[in-house]
Amino acid sequence: MIGILLVNTGSPKTCKREDVKFFIRAMLSDPYVMTVADWFRPVLVNGIILPFRQFPSTRHYEMIWDMSCDDSPLLHHAKKLAEKLEQQTEIPVEVAMRYGEPSVQAAFERLLAKESRLHEVIVLPLFPQYAESSYKTVVDHVGQVFYKRPYPFRLKFVEPYFDHPAYISSLAERIKPYIGEGFDKLVFTFHSLPLSHVEEGWNKGKDFDYVYQTKETIRLLIKALAIDPRKTRLVYHSAMGSKWLKPDLDDTIKELAGAGTNKVIVVAPGFAADNLETLYDINIKARELFQKEGGTDFSFVPCLNHEDYWVESVIKIIT
Ligand SMILES: C=CC1=C(C)c2cc3[nH]c(cc4nc(cc5[nH]c(cc1n2)c(C)c5CCC(=O)O)C(CCC(=O)O)=C4C)c(C)c3C=C
Ligand SMILES: [Fe+2]
């Protein structure tokens, strides 16, 4: 018998400051995310980043949190996707997060409670493009949890699906209604990365090359949408320093508004589900910036979340 485990980055338990601080600390204590000397990481995180970042981050989480829902947007969408996948496939499906809860161990236990004869768990890290700070850290963490106990099943990891036809067609379906009435620029934005991470992946080859994979996703998407590539931009958002991947979303948005570009559509194909980075950084911050610079028509395309066609595509990606 087979089970499926969906894994994403994670979120704070609530949007209260203590929970946000706890989550950011967990994330930034990961050597795959903060690639500095081990002795320096706690100094940097606890002494320099957290004392400042916890306040704006909490405000941003408060702005995007649906108070009628117990979970963060990211976790809410992951649970809904799992529910729909389970219904559709009649295979047990669980969700785990790299940082915080639900933990990988608890998800394994829940899968076994649903099906004691499990012999294989298919692990889908919900990241289309490879990055050590997203895909690799999830694979590493799930492996570490797995080897701590004698679980009666084996693991099968799904590779980054940046060029999978089912992913591309779901994205195209998501974007089509937004471009249907005409547009001036379609901006594809991906999470930025430190240049050192980018260079390391690039040296290892295409399977580890984040920039290659973002470009390939966009090339295939432009083809699937049959749009003019000159009406698109590839940018990166949420950089935490100057030596991060560019062009930057905010700079591009300002430039487009300044140049009188009327109808701008922004989509973030690198995220499987809406989260702080899409709901705040794009839908609130970039939108405000566009309007402040004189732009009028800004549309944000939500992530694939738990759309029915995405459920169908996930089945194709994992089989
Ligand atoms: C594509 C996926 C992601 C990559 C790659 C990634 C790299 C990365 N992130 C940080 C630092 C932070 N990320 C934070 C939130 C966050 N990150 C991702 C995804 C990727 N990160 C998501 C989906 C989220 C949001 C989770 C949610 O609850 O909605 C945060 C915390 C929030 C904040 O203060 O901005 C930090 C910090 C680094 C340093 C990094 C690569 C080195
Ligand atoms: Fe992040």
Side-chain angles (χ1 to χ4, degrees):
M1 297 295 285
I2 289 175
I4 300 170
L5 180 64
L6 307 177
V7 194
N8 210 326
T9 302
S11 285
K13 209 171 173 166
T14 71
C15 57
K16 293 198 181 96
R17 188 165 59 83
E18 279 316 299
D19 289 329
V20 172
K21 194 173 163 190
F22 182 84
F23 170 70
I24 299 179
R25 181 182 288 120
M27 185 174 223
L28 298 184
S29 301
D30 180 347
Y32 285 118
V33 174
M34 291 302 275
T35 43
V36 293
D38 287 344
W39 68 266
F40 184 53
R41 194 173 304 110
V43 179
L44 182 62
V45 174
N46 297 316
I48 300 171
I49 301 178
L50 262 180
F52 298 100
R53 197 166 180 101
Q54 58 177 305
F55 297 102
S57 292
T58 302
R59 271 200 312 278
H60 302 160
Y61 271 111
E62 282 166 357
M63 289 165 85
I64 61 121
W65 208 277
D66 177 356
M67 296 299 179
S68 65
C69 179
D70 283 341
D71 299 320
S72 74
L74 187 80
L75 182 55
H76 168 77
H77 292 304
K79 283 184 176 173
K80 285 273 173 207
L81 177 64
E83 243 174 69
K84 285 190 175 179
L85 267 174
E86 194 168 81
Q87 263 172 19
Q88 200 93 346
T89 59
E90 296 182 358
I91 291 173
V93 184
E94 281 296 331
V95 169
M97 294 291 160
R98 168 63 184 88
Y99 314 103
E101 288 175 8
S103 70
V104 171
Q105 188 184 325
F108 281 160
E109 307 297 339
R110 277 196 303 276
L111 281 174
L112 278 171
K114 281 179 180 171
E115 176 52 73
S116 58
R117 293 163 303 157
L118 271 188
H119 74 272
E120 180 174 279
V121 172
I122 301 174
V123 182
L124 174 63
L126 285 162
F127 308 107
Q129 293 79 25
Y130 179 92
E132 299 233 326
S133 49
S134 56
Y135 183 89
K136 173 79 182 286
T137 187
V138 161
V139 171
D140 207 79
H141 178 70
V142 172
Q144 281 188 29
V145 173
F146 180 74
Y147 284 112
K148 270 197 192 143
R149 292 202 178 193
Y151 288 105
F153 49 79
R154 62 175 181 245
L155 298 180
K156 185 175 148 196
F157 289 96
V158 180
E159 306 262 297
Y161 48 88
F162 66 97
D163 58 353
H164 197 292
Y167 162 62
I168 301 295
S169 75
S170 272
L171 281 176
E173 191 147 353
R174 191 52 146 168
I175 296 168
K176 262 183 205 156
Y178 291 83
I179 61 172
E181 289 167 18
F183 67 99
D184 295 312
K185 274 287 183 264
L186 175 58
V187 179
F188 300 108
T189 183
F190 291 85
H191 200 299
S192 186
L193 285 182
L195 292 177
S196 56
H197 294 204
V198 174
E199 207 173 306
E200 208 184 305
W202 174 17
N203 287 332
K204 286 185 187 161
K206 283 181 181 175
D207 290 346
F208 307 93
D209 186 337
Y210 186 73
V211 173
Y212 165 77
Q213 296 189 4
T214 60
K215 287 187 175 169
E216 195 56 8
T217 296
I218 295 322
R219 186 185 68 78
L220 294 167
L221 201 43
I222 289 171
K223 198 168 151 205
L225 291 167
I227 53 174
D228 182 349
R230 288 168 300 186
K231 287 180 79 177
T232 69
R233 288 282 183 95
L234 167 58
V235 304
Y236 299 90
H237 63 263
S238 310
M240 285 173 68
S242 58
K243 290 183 179 168
W244 282 54
L245 206 46
K246 288 191 174 85
D248 177 68
L249 171 68
D250 292 349
D251 294 344
T252 304
I253 287 297
K254 273 194 224 164
E255 181 211 313
L256 292 175
T261 315
N262 285 325
K263 191 165 178 180
V264 170
I265 302 169
V266 181
V267 60
F271 293 114
D274 281 312
N275 62 82
L276 185 74
E277 318 263 326
T278 61
L279 299 172
Y280 176 76
D281 288 11
I282 304 170
N283 200 27
I284 297 179
K285 194 170 122 217
R287 179 189 292 278
E288 280 175 3
L289 206 57
F290 186 67
Q291 287 162 351
K292 196 171 143 227
E293 298 290 322
T296 48
D297 197 342
F298 179 101
S299 302
F300 159 66
V301 182
C303 293
L304 294 168
N305 295 332
H306 47 89
E307 289 297 312
D308 289 342
Y309 49 81
W310 176 229
V311 177
E312 296 294 333
S313 291
V314 170
I315 295 170
K316 289 182 187 147
I317 289 168
I318 61 181
T319 48

Short mmCIF file of all heavy atoms in Angstrom, two decimals, residues 8-12 23-24 27-28 32-34 53 57 61 64 72 74 127 131 133-134 191-194 197 210 240 244 270-271 274-277, ligand 1:
data_model
loop_
_atom_site.label_atom_id
_atom_site.label_comp_id
_atom_site.label_asym_id
_atom_site.label_seq_id
_atom_site.Cartn_x
_atom_site.Cartn_y
_atom_site.Cartn_z
N ASN A 8 5.79 21.27 2.70
CA ASN A 8 6.11 22.65 2.33
C ASN A 8 6.97 23.27 3.43
O ASN A 8 7.33 22.60 4.40
CB ASN A 8 4.81 23.45 2.09
CG ASN A 8 5.01 24.55 1.07
OD1 ASN A 8 6.10 25.14 0.99
ND2 ASN A 8 4.00 24.84 0.28
N THR A 9 7.28 24.54 3.27
CA THR A 9 8.21 25.22 4.18
C THR A 9 7.70 25.28 5.62
O THR A 9 8.41 24.95 6.56
CB THR A 9 8.42 26.66 3.66
OG1 THR A 9 8.93 26.57 2.35
CG2 THR A 9 9.37 27.42 4.52
N GLY A 10 6.45 25.77 5.77
CA GLY A 10 5.89 25.94 7.10
C GLY A 10 5.55 27.38 7.36
O GLY A 10 5.85 28.27 6.55
N SER A 11 4.89 27.59 8.49
CA SER A 11 4.38 28.91 8.88
C SER A 11 4.37 28.98 10.40
O SER A 11 4.40 27.95 11.06
CB SER A 11 2.91 29.04 8.46
OG SER A 11 2.78 29.25 7.10
N PRO A 12 4.24 30.19 10.94
CA PRO A 12 4.01 30.28 12.38
C PRO A 12 2.67 29.63 12.74
O PRO A 12 1.78 29.55 11.89
CB PRO A 12 3.95 31.78 12.64
CG PRO A 12 4.39 32.45 11.39
CD PRO A 12 4.29 31.49 10.27
N PHE A 23 9.03 30.77 14.59
CA PHE A 23 9.10 30.22 13.23
C PHE A 23 10.31 30.77 12.46
O PHE A 23 11.06 30.01 11.84
CB PHE A 23 7.79 30.53 12.47
CG PHE A 23 7.88 30.22 11.01
CD1 PHE A 23 7.93 28.91 10.56
CD2 PHE A 23 7.91 31.24 10.07
CE1 PHE A 23 8.03 28.63 9.20
CE2 PHE A 23 8.00 30.97 8.72
CZ PHE A 23 8.06 29.65 8.28
N ILE A 24 10.50 32.08 12.56
CA ILE A 24 11.64 32.66 11.82
C ILE A 24 12.96 32.12 12.37
O ILE A 24 13.88 31.80 11.61
CB ILE A 24 11.62 34.21 11.87
CG1 ILE A 24 10.33 34.74 11.23
CG2 ILE A 24 12.83 34.81 11.16
CD1 ILE A 24 10.19 36.25 11.25
N MET A 27 13.52 28.67 10.95
CA MET A 27 13.88 28.71 9.53
C MET A 27 15.33 29.20 9.34
O MET A 27 16.11 28.60 8.60
CB MET A 27 12.92 29.62 8.81
CG MET A 27 13.11 29.65 7.34
SD MET A 27 11.80 30.63 6.61
CE MET A 27 11.40 29.62 5.24
N LEU A 28 15.67 30.26 10.05
CA LEU A 28 16.99 30.85 9.84
C LEU A 28 18.09 30.09 10.58
O LEU A 28 19.28 30.37 10.38
CB LEU A 28 16.98 32.33 10.24
CG LEU A 28 16.04 33.22 9.41
CD1 LEU A 28 16.17 34.68 9.83
CD2 LEU A 28 16.28 33.08 7.92
N TYR A 32 20.99 25.11 5.61
CA TYR A 32 20.73 25.23 4.16
C TYR A 32 20.18 26.61 3.81
O TYR A 32 20.22 27.03 2.66
CB TYR A 32 19.72 24.17 3.70
CG TYR A 32 20.30 22.79 3.59
CD1 TYR A 32 19.81 21.76 4.38
CD2 TYR A 32 21.32 22.51 2.69
CE1 TYR A 32 20.33 20.47 4.28
CE2 TYR A 32 21.85 21.23 2.58
CZ TYR A 32 21.36 20.23 3.38
OH TYR A 32 21.88 18.96 3.28
N VAL A 33 19.61 27.29 4.81
CA VAL A 33 19.02 28.62 4.57
C VAL A 33 20.05 29.70 4.89
O VAL A 33 20.30 30.59 4.08
CB VAL A 33 17.72 28.80 5.40
CG1 VAL A 33 17.19 30.22 5.27
CG2 VAL A 33 16.67 27.80 4.94
N MET A 34 20.65 29.61 6.06
CA MET A 34 21.67 30.59 6.47
C MET A 34 23.03 29.92 6.33
O MET A 34 23.49 29.24 7.26
CB MET A 34 21.45 31.03 7.92
CG MET A 34 20.20 31.88 8.09
SD MET A 34 20.20 33.37 7.08
CE MET A 34 21.08 34.45 8.14
N ARG A 53 13.50 41.91 12.79
CA ARG A 53 12.57 41.36 11.80
C ARG A 53 11.24 40.90 12.40
O ARG A 53 10.20 40.89 11.74
CB ARG A 53 13.26 40.18 11.08
CG ARG A 53 12.55 39.83 9.80
CD ARG A 53 13.32 38.95 8.88
NE ARG A 53 12.54 38.67 7.69
CZ ARG A 53 12.70 39.28 6.54
NH1 ARG A 53 13.64 40.16 6.39
NH2 ARG A 53 11.92 38.98 5.51
N SER A 57 7.58 41.46 10.42
CA SER A 57 7.05 40.17 9.96
C SER A 57 5.71 39.87 10.64
O SER A 57 4.78 39.38 10.00
CB SER A 57 8.03 39.04 10.23
OG SER A 57 9.16 39.20 9.41
N TYR A 61 2.21 39.20 8.79
CA TYR A 61 1.39 37.99 9.00
C TYR A 61 -0.02 38.37 9.44
O TYR A 61 -1.02 37.79 9.00
CB TYR A 61 2.03 37.05 10.03
CG TYR A 61 2.99 36.05 9.40
CD1 TYR A 61 4.36 36.13 9.62
CD2 TYR A 61 2.53 35.02 8.58
CE1 TYR A 61 5.24 35.22 9.05
CE2 TYR A 61 3.40 34.11 8.01
CZ TYR A 61 4.75 34.21 8.24
OH TYR A 61 5.60 33.30 7.66
N ILE A 64 -2.28 39.18 6.52
CA ILE A 64 -2.69 38.16 5.54
C ILE A 64 -3.40 36.98 6.20
O ILE A 64 -3.85 36.06 5.54
CB ILE A 64 -1.47 37.62 4.74
CG1 ILE A 64 -0.42 36.96 5.67
CG2 ILE A 64 -0.82 38.73 3.94
CD1 ILE A 64 -0.14 35.55 5.37
N SER A 72 -2.46 28.99 8.97
CA SER A 72 -1.93 29.99 8.05
C SER A 72 -2.47 29.68 6.65
O SER A 72 -2.88 28.54 6.38
CB SER A 72 -0.41 29.91 8.02
OG SER A 72 -0.03 28.75 7.30
N LEU A 74 -0.81 29.12 3.98
CA LEU A 74 0.02 28.05 3.41
C LEU A 74 -0.45 26.67 3.88
O LEU A 74 -0.60 25.73 3.08
CB LEU A 74 1.48 28.27 3.80
CG LEU A 74 2.51 27.35 3.18
CD1 LEU A 74 2.83 27.80 1.76
CD2 LEU A 74 3.80 27.32 4.00
N PHE A 127 7.86 22.22 -4.12
CA PHE A 127 8.70 23.25 -4.72
C PHE A 127 9.00 22.84 -6.16
O PHE A 127 9.71 21.86 -6.39
CB PHE A 127 10.02 23.40 -3.96
CG PHE A 127 9.84 23.58 -2.48
CD1 PHE A 127 10.14 22.56 -1.60
CD2 PHE A 127 9.34 24.77 -1.98
CE1 PHE A 127 9.95 22.72 -0.24
CE2 PHE A 127 9.14 24.93 -0.63
CZ PHE A 127 9.46 23.90 0.25
N ALA A 131 16.07 24.37 -4.92
CA ALA A 131 16.96 25.26 -4.16
C ALA A 131 17.34 24.50 -2.90
O ALA A 131 16.52 23.73 -2.36
CB ALA A 131 16.26 26.57 -3.80
N SER A 133 17.69 25.75 -0.09
CA SER A 133 16.91 26.32 1.02
C SER A 133 15.43 25.94 0.97
O SER A 133 14.67 26.34 1.86
CB SER A 133 17.06 27.85 1.00
OG SER A 133 16.81 28.34 -0.31
N SER A 134 15.01 25.20 -0.04
CA SER A 134 13.61 24.74 -0.07
C SER A 134 13.60 23.22 -0.28
O SER A 134 13.46 22.46 0.67
CB SER A 134 12.82 25.49 -1.16
OG SER A 134 13.42 25.34 -2.43
N HIS A 191 10.96 33.46 -5.77
CA HIS A 191 11.68 33.82 -4.55
C HIS A 191 13.15 34.07 -4.90
O HIS A 191 13.77 33.24 -5.57
CB HIS A 191 11.57 32.66 -3.57
CG HIS A 191 11.82 33.03 -2.15
ND1 HIS A 191 13.01 33.55 -1.73
CD2 HIS A 191 11.03 32.98 -1.06
CE1 HIS A 191 12.95 33.78 -0.43
NE2 HIS A 191 11.75 33.45 0.00
N SER A 192 13.68 35.19 -4.43
CA SER A 192 15.11 35.45 -4.67
C SER A 192 15.96 34.52 -3.80
O SER A 192 15.47 33.92 -2.85
CB SER A 192 15.42 36.91 -4.35
OG SER A 192 16.76 37.19 -4.70
N LEU A 193 17.22 34.41 -4.18
CA LEU A 193 18.18 33.59 -3.42
C LEU A 193 19.50 34.34 -3.32
O LEU A 193 19.82 35.14 -4.22
CB LEU A 193 18.46 32.27 -4.16
CG LEU A 193 17.42 31.17 -4.15
CD1 LEU A 193 17.97 29.96 -4.91
CD2 LEU A 193 17.04 30.77 -2.74
N PRO A 194 20.29 34.07 -2.29
CA PRO A 194 21.63 34.66 -2.25
C PRO A 194 22.42 34.18 -3.48
O PRO A 194 22.29 33.02 -3.90
CB PRO A 194 22.25 34.08 -0.98
CG PRO A 194 21.10 33.61 -0.15
CD PRO A 194 20.01 33.22 -1.12
N HIS A 197 24.26 30.91 -3.27
CA HIS A 197 23.48 29.68 -3.44
C HIS A 197 23.26 29.39 -4.93
O HIS A 197 23.34 28.26 -5.38
CB HIS A 197 22.09 29.82 -2.79
CG HIS A 197 22.12 29.95 -1.31
ND1 HIS A 197 21.05 29.60 -0.52
CD2 HIS A 197 23.07 30.42 -0.46
CE1 HIS A 197 21.34 29.84 0.75
NE2 HIS A 197 22.56 30.34 0.81
N TYR A 210 18.84 26.74 -10.00
CA TYR A 210 17.57 27.44 -9.75
C TYR A 210 17.21 28.39 -10.89
O TYR A 210 16.09 28.39 -11.37
CB TYR A 210 17.72 28.22 -8.43
CG TYR A 210 16.47 28.91 -7.93
CD1 TYR A 210 15.41 28.17 -7.39
CD2 TYR A 210 16.36 30.29 -7.95
CE1 TYR A 210 14.28 28.81 -6.90
CE2 TYR A 210 15.23 30.94 -7.46
CZ TYR A 210 14.20 30.19 -6.94
OH TYR A 210 13.08 30.83 -6.44
N MET A 240 16.84 39.34 0.84
CA MET A 240 17.17 39.81 2.19
C MET A 240 18.56 40.45 2.23
O MET A 240 19.19 40.48 3.28
CB MET A 240 17.08 38.65 3.19
CG MET A 240 15.64 38.28 3.54
SD MET A 240 15.54 36.79 4.55
CE MET A 240 16.25 37.33 6.08
N TRP A 244 21.75 39.29 -3.70
CA TRP A 244 20.71 38.31 -3.99
C TRP A 244 20.31 38.45 -5.46
O TRP A 244 20.57 39.48 -6.08
CB TRP A 244 19.50 38.52 -3.07
CG TRP A 244 19.67 38.00 -1.66
CD1 TRP A 244 20.68 38.31 -0.80
CD2 TRP A 244 18.81 37.10 -0.96
NE1 TRP A 244 20.50 37.66 0.40
CE2 TRP A 244 19.35 36.91 0.33
CE3 TRP A 244 17.62 36.43 -1.27
CZ2 TRP A 244 18.76 36.08 1.29
CZ3 TRP A 244 17.02 35.61 -0.31
CH2 TRP A 244 17.59 35.43 0.95
N GLY A 270 6.63 29.84 -8.58
CA GLY A 270 7.51 29.04 -7.73
C GLY A 270 6.85 28.58 -6.43
O GLY A 270 7.43 27.79 -5.70
N PHE A 271 5.66 29.07 -6.15
CA PHE A 271 4.96 28.66 -4.93
C PHE A 271 3.76 27.80 -5.28
O PHE A 271 2.96 28.19 -6.13
CB PHE A 271 4.46 29.88 -4.15
CG PHE A 271 5.56 30.74 -3.60
CD1 PHE A 271 5.76 32.02 -4.06
CD2 PHE A 271 6.38 30.27 -2.59
CE1 PHE A 271 6.76 32.82 -3.54
CE2 PHE A 271 7.39 31.06 -2.07
CZ PHE A 271 7.58 32.34 -2.54
N ASP A 274 -0.52 29.96 -1.83
CA ASP A 274 -0.35 31.33 -1.35
C ASP A 274 0.15 31.34 0.09
O ASP A 274 -0.17 30.46 0.89
CB ASP A 274 -1.68 32.09 -1.48
CG ASP A 274 -1.88 32.52 -2.92
OD1 ASP A 274 -0.93 33.09 -3.49
OD2 ASP A 274 -2.96 32.26 -3.48
N ASN A 275 0.94 32.33 0.38
CA ASN A 275 1.63 32.41 1.66
C ASN A 275 2.03 33.86 1.87
O ASN A 275 1.68 34.73 1.06
CB ASN A 275 2.85 31.48 1.63
CG ASN A 275 3.85 31.91 0.57
OD1 ASN A 275 4.65 32.82 0.78
ND2 ASN A 275 3.78 31.31 -0.60
N LEU A 276 2.78 34.11 2.93
CA LEU A 276 3.17 35.49 3.24
C LEU A 276 3.82 36.20 2.06
O LEU A 276 3.56 37.37 1.81
CB LEU A 276 4.14 35.47 4.43
CG LEU A 276 4.55 36.84 4.94
CD1 LEU A 276 3.42 37.48 5.72
CD2 LEU A 276 5.79 36.76 5.81
N GLU A 277 4.65 35.47 1.33
CA GLU A 277 5.42 36.09 0.25
C GLU A 277 4.53 36.50 -0.93
O GLU A 277 4.84 37.45 -1.62
CB GLU A 277 6.50 35.13 -0.24
CG GLU A 277 7.22 34.38 0.86
CD GLU A 277 8.53 35.00 1.28
OE1 GLU A 277 9.20 35.55 0.42
OE2 GLU A 277 8.86 34.93 2.47
C1 LIG B 1 10.62 28.76 -3.10
C2 LIG B 1 10.57 28.61 -1.82
C3 LIG B 1 11.43 29.31 -0.86
C4 LIG B 1 12.80 29.56 -0.92
C5 LIG B 1 13.77 29.15 -1.98
C6 LIG B 1 13.13 30.31 0.26
C7 LIG B 1 14.39 30.79 0.58
C8 LIG B 1 14.70 31.58 1.69
N1 LIG B 1 13.84 32.11 2.63
C9 LIG B 1 14.50 32.85 3.57
C10 LIG B 1 13.98 33.52 4.68
C11 LIG B 1 12.61 33.57 5.06
N2 LIG B 1 11.58 33.00 4.38
C12 LIG B 1 10.40 33.23 5.05
C13 LIG B 1 9.15 32.83 4.68
C14 LIG B 1 8.86 31.97 3.62
N3 LIG B 1 9.75 31.40 2.73
C15 LIG B 1 9.08 30.61 1.82
C16 LIG B 1 9.62 29.90 0.74
C17 LIG B 1 10.95 29.91 0.35
N4 LIG B 1 12.00 30.47 0.98
C18 LIG B 1 7.70 30.69 2.16
C19 LIG B 1 6.60 29.94 1.43
C20 LIG B 1 7.56 31.53 3.25
C21 LIG B 1 6.28 32.01 3.89
C22 LIG B 1 5.70 31.05 4.87
C23 LIG B 1 4.37 31.50 5.36
O1 LIG B 1 4.13 31.35 6.57
O2 LIG B 1 3.50 31.97 4.62
C24 LIG B 1 10.70 33.98 6.24
C25 LIG B 1 9.71 34.36 7.34
C26 LIG B 1 8.83 35.49 7.01
C27 LIG B 1 9.57 36.80 6.88
O3 LIG B 1 10.03 37.32 7.87
O4 LIG B 1 9.72 37.22 5.71
C28 LIG B 1 12.07 34.22 6.25
C29 LIG B 1 12.85 34.96 7.28
C30 LIG B 1 15.88 32.79 3.20
C31 LIG B 1 16.99 33.46 4.00
C32 LIG B 1 16.00 32.02 2.04
C33 LIG B 1 17.18 31.62 1.25
C34 LIG B 1 18.39 31.63 1.62
#
